[in-house]
Amino acid sequence: MTSLVSPGIRILSQKCPQRTEVLTRLASQRAHFSSRPPASKVPDKINYNPYSFDDTPDVEHINYRRVTAAELRKQRERPTRVKMLVRDFIEDSLYNPHYGYFPKRAAIFNMKKLLDFGSVRNMVEFDNIVAQAYIENGHGSSPGVQMWHTPTEIFKPWYGRAIAQCLVSDYLLKHFPYEDFKVYEIGAGNGTLARDILDYIREQYPEIYDRAQYNIIEISENLADIQREKLCGEHPCVTIHNKSIFDWDTRESAPCFVLAMEVVDNFAHDMIRYDLQNLEPYQGYVTVDANGDFSTYYTRVTDPLIASYLALRRRLMHPPPIKQLRRLMKLGKAFRTFYSNLPFAPNLSPPEYIPTRLLSLLTTLRAHFPRHRLLLSDFAQLPDAIPGANAPVVQTVISSRDSPAMVPCSTLLVMPGYFDIMFPTDFEYLCDMYEDVLSQPLPPPNAGPPDRPPPLPARSSPLATSSPTFTVDPNFFSSYHPKNRRTPESGNTSTMGLPVGERKSSVFTHADFMETYADVNRTRLRSGENPLLEMYQNVKFLF
């Protein structure tokens, strides 16, 4: 029988909790943000934050049918009388093609004309220009519609050219002229980054452009159409794949680059909590009742993806990020039992959000792009997060006569499709996790799950005069292997013919990366300030 655990003080039903100062704005718009359709028999409410000391999960909710985000893709209405893991609730809220946030509520900020940075007086004037561009793009023009921007748009074309220079430098060092220049971009937005990268390569490195193959993996059908219109006519080397990266099933055996720019912050996470007596983890479920109200309950970990992540963390010897839990781990079971039996003490730890979908991305890259090089950029820190370790920011836009207001929520359980859900990324831990996944051997032929295909025959070195009949053990020439190099793939040699292994990934701040690869003089203001280096201080790069 499945074990059930209540969080102690349990949130029984939650909707869109907002800050006190904007409740009056919400009063006139509450019908838009209620998590269920208006009903005359149900009293209307603005702030759904009831708390209860009842620690018994609702039996009816536990017996609801379990669904996944993949199963809900074909459903046009928000589901009721169902339960799902937290990651499925987040993924359905963000990506459902019929009512999800990105297909229906998100709009991409677009600087309609290139900004002449040298003519801008200072950062104050720069901020005013960007704010005016937001108004021209229609930011906050309708309830719940958010205008989100990337440095690609604000600093075009110089940001894209910096990314291109990074890729070209690595390609010239390792693969030119023996391999084609292959790029896979995950989630390309409106195609601005791809266009700036290809324009720069065509202008500065025509011999590389002739060998370029630029692939975009885009889950949004609308954005895929925009990308085709913007890119395919001007750059015939572009191919648009309208699918999720998690549905990718083609093996790319050649060296390639994978770009994930401002993508993983919207990857779904799972929520776990720990029993404070025995420190056993429990996975969180979200239930939706017949009225569309939400509740949560917890069971022992049975999900394979959650179990895989926890096993990986133990292997890397990374402790849980919950300070209270780390302190209890150092104490005996008797003290933990005493603590959990105190009056009003919860029986579970505070929630922790674990990046299970990010782990899925890494295993997908390992299986389908075995010789890739990953360039990833995203937020390392986010303000106004909901309670919990590695917790997301849940926010929406409220329109007003003066100016639209970005309103953060205090809970994850909000109406699907109206709220952006963004997670920070611990880049140092991501780097360890990524390198560990890449160090795992590929499964043997006809073994393992269907998303991990059997390995292809090893590609011989382009410098070799004939295909080798043997492979050299990585430790043949020396027993020493540098810590900053990966163990080379069996049968794959470097351009020198020696199995030295690929350089491991490193973490860079946004400013450090741009100072290395960007032409920073192009984005300097008249005051000497440089917004390309001074903005996005909470962003990091993995390369």
Side-chain angles (χ1 to χ4, degrees):
M1 182 175 179
T2 304
S3 174
L4 303 175
V5 175
S6 165
I9 300 176
R10 185 166 62 91
I11 298 175
L12 296 179
S13 175
Q14 296 184 357
K15 298 260 180 110
C16 175
Q18 310 293 355
R19 288 182 173 177
T20 304
E21 61 266 23
V22 298
L23 287 179
T24 54
R25 297 181 187 177
L26 283 174
S28 62
Q29 301 176 2
R30 56 182 176 266
H32 293 288
F33 302 113
S34 172
S35 67
R36 65 177 185 273
S40 57
K41 296 182 179 180
V42 180
D44 198 8
K45 293 182 287 186
I46 298 174
N47 194 352
Y48 291 79
N49 269 327
Y51 288 90
S52 173
F53 289 95
D54 178 15
D55 62 356
T56 303
D58 192 322
V59 176
E60 180 186 3
H61 290 200
I62 295 167
N63 293 326
Y64 284 158
R65 176 176 63 95
R66 180 179 170 181
V67 295
T68 65
E71 295 170 352
L72 294 175
R73 287 180 186 176
K74 298 180 180 179
Q75 185 162 321
R76 294 184 174 274
E77 301 294 333
R78 296 173 180 86
T80 58
R81 299 183 63 83
V82 296
K83 64 181 178 181
M84 64 193 88
L85 287 169
V86 170
R87 74 166 179 267
D88 290 307
F89 176 76
I90 296 173
E91 193 160 319
D92 182 63
S93 299
L94 292 178
Y95 298 108
N96 186 286
H98 304 293
Y99 53 79
Y101 165 75
F102 280 105
K104 299 300 180 182
R105 295 288 167 182
I108 299 178
F109 171 81
N110 179 27
M111 291 289 287
K112 297 181 179 179
K113 59 181 180 180
L114 297 182
L115 184 60
D116 182 7
F117 291 89
S119 64
V120 179
R121 183 167 56 253
N122 51 32
M123 286 294 296
V124 174
E125 183 178 348
F126 175 81
D127 291 339
N128 291 334
I129 292 174
V130 174
Q132 181 61 35
Y134 260 79
I135 296 175
E136 294 173 358
N137 274 264
H139 177 57
S141 57
S142 59
V145 175
Q146 296 188 37
M147 187 71 59
W148 49 277
H149 68 82
T150 66
T152 299
E153 290 292 341
I154 294 180
F155 299 107
K156 63 183 180 186
W158 313 115
Y159 183 89
R161 290 182 169 226
I163 303 300
Q165 186 59 56
C166 173
L167 302 182
V168 166
S169 299
D170 199 74
Y171 172 72
L172 289 173
L173 181 65
K174 299 175 183 175
H175 306 300
F176 182 79
Y178 307 105
E179 302 280 2
D180 289 336
F181 180 71
K182 292 188 176 183
V183 178
Y184 288 83
E185 184 180 358
I186 303 172
N190 57 13
T192 300
L193 179 63
R195 183 192 61 192
D196 291 343
I197 289 174
L198 291 172
D199 285 350
Y200 177 75
I201 295 176
R202 182 175 58 185
E203 173 189 326
Q204 299 294 329
Y205 303 94
E207 67 280 5
I208 297 179
Y209 182 82
D210 291 340
R211 305 195 60 173
Q213 299 178 34
Y214 202 101
N215 298 272
I216 293 176
I217 305 173
E218 178 58 61
I219 190 174
S220 169
E221 184 177 353
N222 294 334
L223 290 178
D225 292 338
I226 295 174
Q227 294 157 10
R228 291 188 186 97
E229 181 179 355
K230 177 179 287 188
L231 296 170
C232 293
E234 185 177 356
H235 296 287
C237 60
V238 174
T239 303
I240 312 294
H241 307 272
N242 186 198
K243 64 191 325 182
S244 168
I245 181 60
F246 303 114
D247 297 329
W248 190 262
D249 56 1
T250 304
R251 183 69 173 271
E252 176 58 82
S253 59
C256 61
F257 297 97
V258 175
L259 299 183
M261 314 300 290
E262 296 86 39
V263 172
V264 301
D265 59 318
N266 290 119
F267 275 11
H269 286 49
D270 272 290
M271 182 173 66
I272 61 172
R273 303 178 79 169
Y274 291 84
D275 187 325
L276 296 182
Q277 291 192 30
N278 56 24
L279 305 182
E280 181 180 2
Y282 283 76
Q283 61 191 25
Y285 285 89
V286 174
T287 64
V288 189
D289 67 12
N291 292 322
D293 287 335
F294 305 110
S295 183
T296 57
Y297 77 97
Y298 304 86
T299 69
R300 287 187 170 91
V301 173
T302 58
D303 178 70
L305 185 55
I306 296 177
S308 297
Y309 177 85
L310 295 177
L312 171 61
R313 186 160 69 180
R314 287 192 298 268
R315 188 165 63 247
L316 295 175
M317 295 184 292
H318 284 269
I322 303 173
K323 295 181 179 179
Q324 175 194 23
L325 191 64
R326 292 201 299 265
R327 289 195 296 266
L328 290 176
M329 291 173 66
K330 300 177 182 179
L331 302 174
K333 183 177 180 180
F335 181 87
R336 294 197 298 267
T337 302
F338 169 77
Y339 173 80
S340 61
N341 288 330
L342 291 174
F344 306 113
N347 58 344
L348 290 182
S349 70
E352 177 194 353
Y353 295 87
I354 58 175
T356 42
R357 265 314 200 182
L358 181 56
L359 176 59
S360 296
L361 172 67
L362 302 184
T363 55
T364 298
L365 297 180
R366 176 73 180 110
H368 299 295
F369 306 89
R371 301 184 65 190
H372 76 277
R373 188 78 194 178
L374 176 63
L375 176 56
L376 184 149
S377 177
D378 227 303
F379 297 103
Q381 296 176 347
L382 288 171
D384 298 322
I386 65 175
N390 195 40
V393 174
V394 183
Q395 62 186 13
T396 190
V397 170
I398 302 299
S399 301
S400 68
R401 286 177 295 180
D402 299 329
S403 62
M406 187 71 72
V407 181
C409 300
S410 61
T411 177
L412 181 69
L413 304 182
V414 291
M415 183 177 181
Y418 276 86
F419 297 82
D420 191 7
I421 303 173
M422 301 172 58
F423 288 88
T425 300
D426 186 331
F427 272 77
E428 284 68 26
Y429 176 62
L430 168 61
C431 188
D432 292 344
M433 184 168 66
Y434 176 54
E435 294 298 332
D436 183 88
V437 170
L438 292 186
S439 69
Q440 302 304 314
L442 288 171
N446 303 320
D451 63 337
R452 297 287 297 273
L456 297 180
R459 294 161 56 92
S460 60
S461 169
L463 295 183
T465 56
S466 61
S467 298
T469 58
F470 65 91
T471 59
V472 179
D473 184 88
N475 295 324
F476 178 82
F477 295 96
S478 172
S479 60
Y480 169 74
H481 187 76
K483 293 182 178 181
N484 64 341
R485 313 291 296 191
R486 297 171 185 161
T487 301
E489 297 283 345
S490 177
N492 288 335
T493 58
S494 70
T495 53
M496 296 182 296
L498 300 177
V500 296
E502 183 81 19
R503 177 183 61 83
K504 290 184 177 181
S505 294
S506 300
V507 176
F508 305 89
T509 66
H510 185 272
D512 287 342
F513 186 91
M514 288 298 145
E515 286 179 333
T516 302
Y517 295 107
D519 186 354
V520 295
N521 292 324
R522 297 285 190 170
T523 57
R524 185 169 287 114
L525 309 183
R526 283 161 48 191
S527 63
E529 299 168 291
N530 197 322
L532 182 63
L533 303 180
E534 297 176 21
M535 294 178 64
Y536 297 101
Q537 295 184 11
N538 61 335
V539 169
K540 290 185 178 181
F541 281 83
L542 176 76
F543 183 65

